[in-house]
Amino acid sequence: MKPLHFFSRLALPVLALLVLAAISTEPDPVALRNAAIERKVDSVLSLMTLEEKIGQMNQYNGYSELTGPGSKEGSTLKKHNDIKSGMVGSMLNVLGAKETREAQELVMKNSRMKIPMLFGYDVIHGYKTMFPIPLGEAASWDPAVAEASARIAAAEASAVGIHWTFAPMMDLARDARWGRVMEGSGEDPYLSSLFAAARVRGFQGQDLAAPTTIAACAKHFATYGFAEAGKDYNGVEISESTLRNMVLPPFKAAADAGVATFMNAFNDINGVPATAHVHLQRDILKGEWGFDGFVVSDWASIGELVPHGIAADNREAARLAVTAGSDMDMESVCYLENLAGLVRSGVVEERLIDDAVRRILRLKFRLGLFDDPYRYCNPERERSSLLTPEHLAAARDGARKSIVLLKNDGNLLPLSKTLKTIAVIGPLADDKDSPLGSWRAQAVAGSAVSLLEGVRAAAGPNTQVLYQEGCKLAVGDRHFVRELKINETDKSGFPAAVAAAKKAQVVLVAIGEDCWQTGEGRSQTDITLSGVQEALLMELRKVNPNIVLVLMNGRPLAIPWAAENVPAIVEAWHLGSEAGHAIADVLFGAYNPSGKLPISFPRSTGQVPIYYNHKSTGRPTGGEMVFWTHYTDERNDPLFPFGYGLSYTTFSYSEPRLSAPEMSLGRSGKLEVRVTVTNTGSVEGKETVQLYIRDLVGSNTRPVKELKAYRQITLRPGASQEVVFTLTPADLAFYTASGRWEAEPGDFQVMTGSNSRDVKMASFKAR
Ligand code: NOJ
């Protein structure tokens, strides 16, 4: 374990900024402002008592929502008294311009130090205007879409007094059983890094003190998405190599993008819970990466060190967490009740407290809260800036870019506006709630545009649109208390649905998942279609072959029967407020689908975890014998691979052409990879041209493929474009067996293509 140099590491960047400001002819305004903030932080800190400092490290849940198991801080009266005496540095789940002002007034009017509170909230994919769930948005492969949605979410949240969102989540996820797979950007560290940085830029903008920006939070640090068996909160056994090469890059990207805060995680990593993890928080985050923001615990995760079995009681838990660098205690009150005693008895050094408080005050200054503690409590903005037509237009644009066309046999899609009869069938067909998704902040329940509404609005004037629910869906509950009703068996709606399907030229079948089947605490052992949905699909298929399956879901689903027997499949996730319009845009061809899967879709639940960037093993292939890595009852490949998605046109790819057979690993080393892509179909379309590499021999075993670059291009029918990628040694670098991030010399393959499976390959040497 490396020595803890975090105090000196913190001082260094500030010093460097001052030196830079001094030698440059034009004083850098950001450096000057940051230097001024450091002086103010020191001055405030020097005036605070130990109790007041610890108060800054305490975060209470508010009044509007409960996003964890039972609030532990006691009565509202106790909460108010603690706020008044400056014992609460931050609150979560206090919402509304009026409510945040009232809470802020308690501290500003009563406490000795008058340090404004920070109001945090889970603004995950929109505040009132809902955008696609993050996994769906990542299917756009367009970080600008995520930046725009985060920008709007920040504008809406800041209008109701929120300073800070607990987003983006950047936990890599390979196991679709895990309910929170919906909240990340899928299985790939490169794609997840681009989306993590884009969302941070979107939430925080150029200036945290601007009235429409909020602080972001990179979560959950780290490995939460690797919970064993996909069971939420479960432990994680992971190698340093996988941690560094797969899990940490998105967090590093967020740190590099200037994310203001980090949240640690509930889970145990190789025997040490993340909340007590010195190596992650002190050595890597605050040490190696020089992160100068603060780390908030996850909900009660400090107190949970006791049931984890690493602390005997809350006092011990507080000691472990503060030593590891957990700066703020969300909801466990372990800090409030124990830290002062721990410092006074000499068990915890006060400089640890000072370090944490300095980080928290720094953000409060950067947000401008000391200038105006009520700066975001603006009822006028709250009235005028939520759910605006511009926000809804952006939600529709992001939603249609997130849709993935998985199958389109015989060009069943796009639908003609001259169709006489369309049947829209399924439990999700007229569901105005599930498209809003899990983690939906203040979306109004039932406010999304349903598929049926979207189709009615888009269909031609002479098209008759029939509707039948067909069956019920497994229904979750947003209040986290009820069991899921997964085993729905009622088929009484089938006959009417079949009758409608018989009458129609095309049948749109909307099935998948209720939005509360995914999200926190919603892990499942089975990721096939729940209840009688597949049975319904089979009945409809018997009477009408022209079926378009519209999937709405928060996780990859195993749908082998549908993939084999249904001609067209549209992956429509939970797409947000404008879902129905966005799907109709794609179904009728107003938007040519361009999404690509950010995560592999398995053939069966037993195949998970399944991911494209796996290792080779010593027995990657086999002949007639059984002695190779495979299942005997299932194919090895996914149903739909990472990066996969069709268009209403087709694209052909040339072989990749390299500028040289070798690439130098020196500072100026580079290699150009050129590939010509041609639109071979009859309509204009957007293609995501993907580049993967394979490092054939490494000091540690390397993945069989790694996404390293991609480009989105739009081509008219018949048009070709040469796409040029420039690889540098940085693209070949990884966390090696010697613990360094570097490229190793040797043989490489470079692959280009339209998804992780369909690629063409060239080889080069790196020296
Ligand atoms: C627990 C979740 O894990 C975390 O992501 C969220 O931000 C907090 N609860 C607060 O709601």
Side-chain angles (χ1 to χ4, degrees):
M1 189 108 349
K2 298 185 190 96
L4 305 182
H5 290 317
F6 54 93
F7 293 106
S8 52
R9 281 178 201 278
L10 245 192
L12 272 178
V14 176
L15 211 86
L17 285 176
L18 287 172
V19 172
L20 268 181
I23 55 175
S24 120
T25 39
E26 292 286 316
D28 173 359
V30 179
L32 289 176
R33 193 165 71 186
N34 283 344
I37 285 178
E38 291 309 304
R39 286 194 296 277
K40 289 179 193 169
V41 166
D42 280 341
S43 136
V44 172
L45 192 68
S46 69
L47 301 172
M48 294 170 78
T49 64
L50 177 61
E51 276 72 15
E52 284 165 339
K53 291 179 196 173
I54 292 164
Q56 288 303 303
M57 299 165 70
N58 179 42
Q59 185 186 55
Y60 274 162
N61 189 51
Y63 328 96
S64 312
E65 279 196 32
L66 204 56
T67 49
S71 188
K72 295 194 181 61
E73 84 283 5
S75 69
T76 302
L77 183 65
K78 156 124 178 31
K79 202 182 301 181
H80 281 183
N81 286 340
D82 284 350
I83 296 171
K84 285 181 184 166
S85 53
M87 290 297 108
V88 188
S90 172
M91 294 186 83
L92 74 153
N93 297 335
V94 183
L95 306 175
K98 180 167 168 287
E99 292 77 359
T100 48
R101 174 176 288 275
E102 281 169 7
Q104 197 70 294
E105 275 174 359
L106 287 179
V107 75
M108 297 314 291
K109 289 188 177 158
N110 300 289
S111 69
R112 190 183 76 92
M113 287 298 295
K114 305 196 187 316
I115 298 175
M117 286 194 294
L118 198 56
F119 297 118
Y121 189 49
D122 292 287
V123 183
I124 308 296
H125 55 108
Y127 180 76
K128 273 265 186 236
T129 307
M130 281 299 116
F131 294 85
I133 54 167
L135 182 67
E137 202 176 50
S140 69
W141 284 50
D142 184 353
V145 166
E147 185 168 342
S149 75
R151 190 82 282 288
I152 289 170
E156 292 195 355
S158 61
V160 305
I162 307 292
H163 310 129
W164 175 27
T165 173
F166 305 125
M169 185 188 101
M170 53 204 66
D171 296 304
L172 222 67
R174 296 169 164 179
D175 193 329
R177 291 172 296 180
W178 191 48
R180 295 190 86 167
V181 71
M182 53 77 51
E183 210 181 327
S185 301
E187 72 191 32
D188 181 66
Y190 178 75
L191 189 66
S192 295
S193 298
L194 294 181
F195 274 80
R199 291 186 172 121
V200 169
R201 288 195 303 271
F203 286 127
Q204 298 194 168
Q206 297 288 325
D207 179 5
L208 273 178
T212 57
T213 58
I214 57 177
C217 181
K219 74 184 188 187
H220 305 84
F221 198 61
T223 75
Y224 182 43
F226 274 54
E228 193 170 76
K231 190 168 69 171
D232 211 358
Y233 318 121
N234 211 2
V236 176
E237 296 289 330
I238 193 168
S239 68
E240 185 80 3
S241 168
T242 301
L243 175 73
R244 296 277 192 163
N245 290 311
M246 294 287 167
V247 174
L248 293 190
F251 288 100
K252 176 70 164 56
D256 291 345
V259 72
T261 66
F262 269 59
M263 183 185 289
N264 56 34
F266 291 121
N267 56 282
D268 164 340
I269 308 155
N270 304 334
V272 181
T275 304
H277 216 289
V278 177
H279 183 48
L280 273 176
Q281 297 179 98
R282 291 284 187 209
D283 297 344
I284 296 179
L285 177 61
K286 296 175 180 177
E288 284 173 34
W289 299 354
F291 174 66
D292 74 353
F294 73 83
V295 179
V296 63
S297 79
D298 203 344
W299 180 287
S301 70
I302 298 180
E304 288 174 14
L305 296 177
V306 177
H308 265 296
I310 199 160
D313 52 28
N314 284 351
R315 183 172 186 273
E316 182 68 3
R319 182 185 71 76
L320 287 173
V322 78
T323 305
S326 299
D327 301 307
M328 185 180 278
D329 175 3
M330 181 191 287
E331 264 295 298
S332 84
V333 292
C334 289
Y335 281 179
L336 199 62
E337 290 173 357
N338 298 288
L339 275 187
L342 284 164
V343 171
R344 293 221 161 85
S345 57
V347 177
V348 166
E349 289 180 72
E350 189 163 351
R351 63 183 192 128
L352 293 185
I353 312 294
D354 287 350
D355 176 53
V357 177
R358 222 179 235 116
R359 291 166 181 276
I360 293 164
L361 293 178
R362 187 178 289 137
L363 179 59
K364 292 185 176 184
F365 274 110
R366 286 182 183 170
L367 283 164
L369 288 177
F370 282 93
D371 300 328
D372 176 7
Y374 307 107
R375 59 181 311 139
Y376 295 159
C377 313
N378 182 338
E380 174 40 38
R381 260 188 70 205
E382 183 170 18
R383 270 192 298 278
S384 62
S385 60
L386 307 183
L387 271 177
T388 64
E390 296 75 36
H391 294 182
L392 288 169
R396 180 168 177 167
D397 181 56
R400 55 195 209 165
K401 288 177 175 158
S402 304
I403 292 170
V404 186
L405 181 63
L406 293 176
K407 192 174 175 194
N408 193 20
D409 281 1
N411 291 332
L412 184 55
L413 292 174
L415 302 176
S416 158
K417 293 234 179 191
T418 60
L419 283 174
K420 288 207 168 49
T421 315
I422 300 175
V424 185
I425 297 177
L428 288 160
D430 198 26
D431 187 337
K432 291 172 65 60
D433 197 59
S434 270
L436 298 171
S438 192
W439 281 121
R440 56 172 57 181
Q442 289 300 296
V444 176
S447 64
V449 178
S450 74
L451 173 65
L452 181 63
E453 290 171 326
V455 168
R456 283 201 168 126
N462 300 321
T463 305
Q464 189 190 12
V465 180
L466 308 172
Y467 164 68
Q468 285 295 324
E469 188 180 24
C471 67
K472 299 267 180 233
L473 197 69
V475 181
D477 188 281
R478 71 167 309 187
H479 298 295
F480 312 137
V481 287
R482 243 190 276 147
E483 286 289 306
L484 275 179
K485 201 170 158 234
I486 293 274
N487 297 319
E488 181 63 60
T489 53
D490 183 4
K491 293 185 179 176
S492 58
F494 280 26
V498 168
K502 270 189 190 153
K503 281 190 214 142
Q505 286 167 286
V506 174
V507 186
L508 309 179
V509 186
I511 54 182
E513 291 186 308
D514 168 87
C515 64
W516 304 113
Q517 274 183 261
T518 51
E520 188 179 350
R522 274 63 179 255
S523 297
Q524 288 184 190
T525 60
D526 183 2
I527 57 164
T528 58
L529 290 163
S530 63
V532 293
Q533 296 186 90
E534 192 168 84
L536 174 67
L537 191 61
M538 288 172 169
E539 291 306 310
L540 300 174
R541 176 67 183 75
K542 279 183 198 159
V543 298
N544 193 329
N546 294 330
I547 303 244
V548 179
L549 169 58
V550 179
L551 278 180
M552 297 184 196
N553 44 309
R555 57 158 62 83
L557 294 177
I559 49 158
W561 186 88
E564 187 68 36
N565 295 288
V566 165
I569 305 178
V570 172
E571 173 51 74
W573 315 106
H574 293 138
L575 287 175
S577 303
E578 291 288 292
H581 288 322
I583 303 168
D585 286 344
V586 164
L587 294 177
F588 288 96
Y591 185 81
N592 186 354
S594 56
K596 301 276 188 177
L597 292 179
I599 189 163
S600 308
F601 272 42
R603 296 175 180 277
S604 60
T605 311
Q607 260 189 330
V608 297
I610 184 167
Y611 47 98
Y612 86 95
N613 46 6
H614 58 84
K615 302 288 186 70
S616 158
T617 80
R619 294 186 176 185
T621 53
E624 295 299 300
M625 302 197 69
V626 295
F627 305 115
W628 65 290
T629 179
H630 71 301
Y631 297 107
T632 52
D633 63 344
E634 183 60 276
R635 284 169 57 167
N636 260 10
D637 58 335
L639 192 58
F640 299 108
F642 174 82
Y644 182 79
L646 303 172
S647 159
Y648 292 150
T649 190
T650 46
F651 299 99
S652 74
Y653 279 67
S654 73
E655 298 288 332
R657 298 179 292 276
L658 307 187
S659 56
E662 292 189 354
M663 171 175 162
S664 155
L665 293 180
R667 275 151 82 87
S668 56
K670 64 176 184 182
L671 183 76
E672 280 180 357
V673 182
R674 291 165 187 269
V675 57
T676 304
V677 182
T678 305
N679 181 339
T680 49
S682 54
V683 289
E684 182 173 290
K686 182 160 86 179
E687 170 68 329
T688 302
V689 184
Q690 301 165 37
L691 181 147
Y692 298 84
I693 65 158
R694 179 170 183 182
D695 183 349
L696 285 170
V697 181
S699 58
N700 276 333
T701 54
R702 308 294 302 130
V704 297
K705 264 175 206 152
E706 291 178 275
L707 179 70
K708 287 294 170 181
Y710 65 87
R711 196 76 44 76
Q712 294 194 310
I713 58 170
T714 299
L715 293 176
R716 289 192 314 278
S720 292
Q721 186 175 330
E722 184 180 62
V723 177
V724 184
F725 296 103
T726 305
L727 289 177
T728 68
D731 297 309
L732 311 185
F734 70 105
Y735 188 80
T736 65
S738 52
R740 282 192 296 271
W741 191 268
E742 61 186 3
E744 294 178 336
D747 290 323
F748 285 80
Q749 293 175 339
V750 60
M751 293 154 269
T752 45
S754 131
N755 60 67
S756 63
R757 181 191 62 201
D758 304 317
V759 291
K760 292 181 174 165
M761 194 260 288
S763 301
F764 68 94
K765 251 186 206 324
R767 314 182 177 266

PDB file of all heavy atoms in Angstrom, residues 439-452:
ATOM      1  N   TRP A 439     -35.816   5.511 -11.506  1.00  0.00           N
ATOM      2  CA  TRP A 439     -35.035   6.720 -11.146  1.00  0.00           C
ATOM      3  C   TRP A 439     -35.510   7.911 -11.964  1.00  0.00           C
ATOM      4  O   TRP A 439     -34.754   8.508 -12.717  1.00  0.00           O
ATOM      5  CB  TRP A 439     -33.541   6.515 -11.393  1.00  0.00           C
ATOM      6  CG  TRP A 439     -32.839   5.728 -10.353  1.00  0.00           C
ATOM      7  CD1 TRP A 439     -32.167   4.560 -10.551  1.00  0.00           C
ATOM      8  CD2 TRP A 439     -32.689   6.021  -8.951  1.00  0.00           C
ATOM      9  NE1 TRP A 439     -31.622   4.111  -9.368  1.00  0.00           N
ATOM     10  CE2 TRP A 439     -31.931   4.992  -8.369  1.00  0.00           C
ATOM     11  CE3 TRP A 439     -33.130   7.054  -8.132  1.00  0.00           C
ATOM     12  CZ2 TRP A 439     -31.601   4.959  -7.013  1.00  0.00           C
ATOM     13  CZ3 TRP A 439     -32.806   7.031  -6.773  1.00  0.00           C
ATOM     14  CH2 TRP A 439     -32.050   5.990  -6.241  1.00  0.00           C
ATOM     15  N   ARG A 440     -36.777   8.277 -11.787  1.00  0.00           N
ATOM     16  CA  ARG A 440     -37.387   9.278 -12.657  1.00  0.00           C
ATOM     17  C   ARG A 440     -37.579  10.637 -11.989  1.00  0.00           C
ATOM     18  O   ARG A 440     -38.393  11.450 -12.462  1.00  0.00           O
ATOM     19  CB  ARG A 440     -38.724   8.757 -13.105  1.00  0.00           C
ATOM     20  CG  ARG A 440     -39.570   8.424 -11.868  1.00  0.00           C
ATOM     21  CD  ARG A 440     -40.970   8.070 -12.159  1.00  0.00           C
ATOM     22  NE  ARG A 440     -41.120   6.954 -13.056  1.00  0.00           N
ATOM     23  CZ  ARG A 440     -42.314   6.526 -13.440  1.00  0.00           C
ATOM     24  NH1 ARG A 440     -43.407   7.121 -13.002  1.00  0.00           N
ATOM     25  NH2 ARG A 440     -42.423   5.490 -14.243  1.00  0.00           N
ATOM     26  N   ALA A 441     -36.897  10.885 -10.888  1.00  0.00           N
ATOM     27  CA  ALA A 441     -36.954  12.184 -10.202  1.00  0.00           C
ATOM     28  C   ALA A 441     -38.400  12.638 -10.041  1.00  0.00           C
ATOM     29  O   ALA A 441     -39.230  11.911  -9.522  1.00  0.00           O
ATOM     30  CB  ALA A 441     -36.102  13.202 -10.939  1.00  0.00           C
ATOM     31  N   GLN A 442     -38.752  13.808 -10.570  1.00  0.00           N
ATOM     32  CA  GLN A 442     -40.098  14.357 -10.348  1.00  0.00           C
ATOM     33  C   GLN A 442     -40.989  14.248 -11.582  1.00  0.00           C
ATOM     34  O   GLN A 442     -41.885  15.078 -11.786  1.00  0.00           O
ATOM     35  CB  GLN A 442     -39.986  15.812  -9.890  1.00  0.00           C
ATOM     36  CG  GLN A 442     -39.453  15.940  -8.476  1.00  0.00           C
ATOM     37  CD  GLN A 442     -40.343  15.241  -7.460  1.00  0.00           C
ATOM     38  OE1 GLN A 442     -41.487  15.604  -7.260  1.00  0.00           O
ATOM     39  NE2 GLN A 442     -39.808  14.195  -6.837  1.00  0.00           N
ATOM     40  N   ALA A 443     -40.739  13.254 -12.412  1.00  0.00           N
ATOM     41  CA  ALA A 443     -41.641  13.038 -13.554  1.00  0.00           C
ATOM     42  C   ALA A 443     -43.047  12.812 -13.005  1.00  0.00           C
ATOM     43  O   ALA A 443     -43.219  12.185 -11.964  1.00  0.00           O
ATOM     44  CB  ALA A 443     -41.187  11.810 -14.331  1.00  0.00           C
ATOM     45  N   VAL A 444     -44.035  13.315 -13.695  1.00  0.00           N
ATOM     46  CA  VAL A 444     -45.415  13.095 -13.262  1.00  0.00           C
ATOM     47  C   VAL A 444     -45.834  11.694 -13.714  1.00  0.00           C
ATOM     48  O   VAL A 444     -45.749  11.369 -14.896  1.00  0.00           O
ATOM     49  CB  VAL A 444     -46.345  14.153 -13.896  1.00  0.00           C
ATOM     50  CG1 VAL A 444     -47.805  13.878 -13.528  1.00  0.00           C
ATOM     51  CG2 VAL A 444     -45.920  15.545 -13.463  1.00  0.00           C
ATOM     52  N   ALA A 445     -46.252  10.871 -12.750  1.00  0.00           N
ATOM     53  CA  ALA A 445     -46.622   9.487 -13.087  1.00  0.00           C
ATOM     54  C   ALA A 445     -47.639   9.484 -14.224  1.00  0.00           C
ATOM     55  O   ALA A 445     -48.571  10.290 -14.244  1.00  0.00           O
ATOM     56  CB  ALA A 445     -47.188   8.795 -11.858  1.00  0.00           C
ATOM     57  N   GLY A 446     -47.440   8.601 -15.180  1.00  0.00           N
ATOM     58  CA  GLY A 446     -48.409   8.473 -16.277  1.00  0.00           C
ATOM     59  C   GLY A 446     -48.376   9.613 -17.282  1.00  0.00           C
ATOM     60  O   GLY A 446     -49.349   9.847 -17.986  1.00  0.00           O
ATOM     61  N   SER A 447     -47.255  10.339 -17.365  1.00  0.00           N
ATOM     62  CA  SER A 447     -47.231  11.518 -18.247  1.00  0.00           C
ATOM     63  C   SER A 447     -46.505  11.289 -19.570  1.00  0.00           C
ATOM     64  O   SER A 447     -46.412  12.205 -20.390  1.00  0.00           O
ATOM     65  CB  SER A 447     -46.579  12.695 -17.521  1.00  0.00           C
ATOM     66  OG  SER A 447     -45.216  12.392 -17.249  1.00  0.00           O
ATOM     67  N   ALA A 448     -45.991  10.082 -19.807  1.00  0.00           N
ATOM     68  CA  ALA A 448     -45.266   9.861 -21.068  1.00  0.00           C
ATOM     69  C   ALA A 448     -46.253   9.710 -22.223  1.00  0.00           C
ATOM     70  O   ALA A 448     -47.405   9.329 -22.033  1.00  0.00           O
ATOM     71  CB  ALA A 448     -44.414   8.596 -20.955  1.00  0.00           C
ATOM     72  N   VAL A 449     -45.772   9.991 -23.420  1.00  0.00           N
ATOM     73  CA  VAL A 449     -46.564   9.705 -24.617  1.00  0.00           C
ATOM     74  C   VAL A 449     -46.470   8.195 -24.849  1.00  0.00           C
ATOM     75  O   VAL A 449     -45.370   7.649 -24.964  1.00  0.00           O
ATOM     76  CB  VAL A 449     -45.993  10.456 -25.838  1.00  0.00           C
ATOM     77  CG1 VAL A 449     -46.787  10.107 -27.102  1.00  0.00           C
ATOM     78  CG2 VAL A 449     -45.988  11.958 -25.591  1.00  0.00           C
ATOM     79  N   SER A 450     -47.613   7.516 -24.866  1.00  0.00           N
ATOM     80  CA  SER A 450     -47.565   6.060 -25.042  1.00  0.00           C
ATOM     81  C   SER A 450     -47.323   5.720 -26.520  1.00  0.00           C
ATOM     82  O   SER A 450     -47.500   6.567 -27.408  1.00  0.00           O
ATOM     83  CB  SER A 450     -48.868   5.411 -24.576  1.00  0.00           C
ATOM     84  OG  SER A 450     -49.902   5.669 -25.517  1.00  0.00           O
ATOM     85  N   LEU A 451     -46.982   4.479 -26.751  1.00  0.00           N
ATOM     86  CA  LEU A 451     -46.784   4.042 -28.141  1.00  0.00           C
ATOM     87  C   LEU A 451     -48.071   4.248 -28.936  1.00  0.00           C
ATOM     88  O   LEU A 451     -48.051   4.735 -30.070  1.00  0.00           O
ATOM     89  CB  LEU A 451     -46.363   2.560 -28.161  1.00  0.00           C
ATOM     90  CG  LEU A 451     -46.283   1.948 -29.559  1.00  0.00           C
ATOM     91  CD1 LEU A 451     -45.194   2.601 -30.390  1.00  0.00           C
ATOM     92  CD2 LEU A 451     -46.042   0.440 -29.477  1.00  0.00           C
ATOM     93  N   LEU A 452     -49.196   3.870 -28.323  1.00  0.00           N
ATOM     94  CA  LEU A 452     -50.470   4.003 -29.030  1.00  0.00           C
ATOM     95  C   LEU A 452     -50.715   5.466 -29.427  1.00  0.00           C
ATOM     96  O   LEU A 452     -51.091   5.750 -30.575  1.00  0.00           O
ATOM     97  CB  LEU A 452     -51.608   3.496 -28.128  1.00  0.00           C
ATOM     98  CG  LEU A 452     -53.010   3.545 -28.741  1.00  0.00           C
ATOM     99  CD1 LEU A 452     -53.114   2.640 -29.959  1.00  0.00           C
ATOM    100  CD2 LEU A 452     -54.064   3.140 -27.698  1.00  0.00           C
TER     101      LEU A 452
END
